[in-house]
Amino acid sequence: QVQLVESGGGLVQPGGSLRLSCATSRSAFSIHTVGWYRQASGKERELVAALTSGGTTNYADSVKGRFTISKDNAKNTVSLQMNSLKPEDTAVYYCNADVTRGYVRYPQLWGQGTLVTVSS
């Protein structure tokens, strides 16, 4: 079984930056269409940024110009660079992706989440 593993969360002051990463728990698995979601306390999970296998990106209006999603094909990881962070960005961030190994596809896998706290 393969899982997605997020890392990079933590506490940061307003205006600061963090870089989240998402990788598969086992090697020889490839990440394809991927989305970063977040869920703040008491709120529904929302899509923050998405990257298709063709390279198309999509961002929530609330993070446009501040967040950047990217994929490192050599390392088979997906990152979310978050700049100019605001207290309202505080949430648990989740990676969701289609993963393949050869001809076997594992659709819509979720990671366990990583907490981002923006506070002074």
Side-chain angles (χ1 to χ4, degrees):
Q1 187 71 4
V2 62
Q3 297 176 328
L4 294 175
V5 180
E6 301 101 334
S7 61
L11 173 64
V12 63
Q13 293 186 343
S17 298
L18 279 177
R19 187 176 182 88
L20 306 183
S21 291
C22 174
T24 57
S25 58
R26 297 172 61 187
S27 60
F29 288 82
S30 299
I31 295 175
H32 299 280
T33 299
V34 61
W36 281 98
Y37 292 74
R38 68 185 180 188
Q39 187 166 20
S41 179
K43 295 187 177 181
E44 293 186 353
R45 192 172 296 188
E46 62 173 350
L47 177 64
V48 174
L51 174 64
T52 70
S53 56
T56 301
T57 57
N58 188 35
Y59 298 94
D61 288 342
S62 58
V63 307
K64 280 181 181 176
R66 300 188 298 122
F67 290 12
T68 302
I69 187 171
S70 61
K71 184 167 179 272
D72 185 328
N73 289 316
K75 296 181 179 179
N76 197 33
T77 59
V78 177
S79 297
L80 183 68
Q81 177 67 40
M82 305 185 296
N83 299 328
S84 302
L85 283 162
K86 305 175 181 179
E88 50 264 43
D89 294 319
T90 295
V92 178
Y93 284 72
Y94 299 90
C95 177
N96 173 273
D98 291 342
V99 173
T100 63
R101 182 180 182 184
Y103 294 103
V104 181
R105 179 171 173 262
Y106 303 84
Q108 298 292 299
L109 295 183
W110 287 95
Q112 81 289 352
T114 185
L115 177 62
V116 172
T117 303
V118 185
S119 175
S120 55

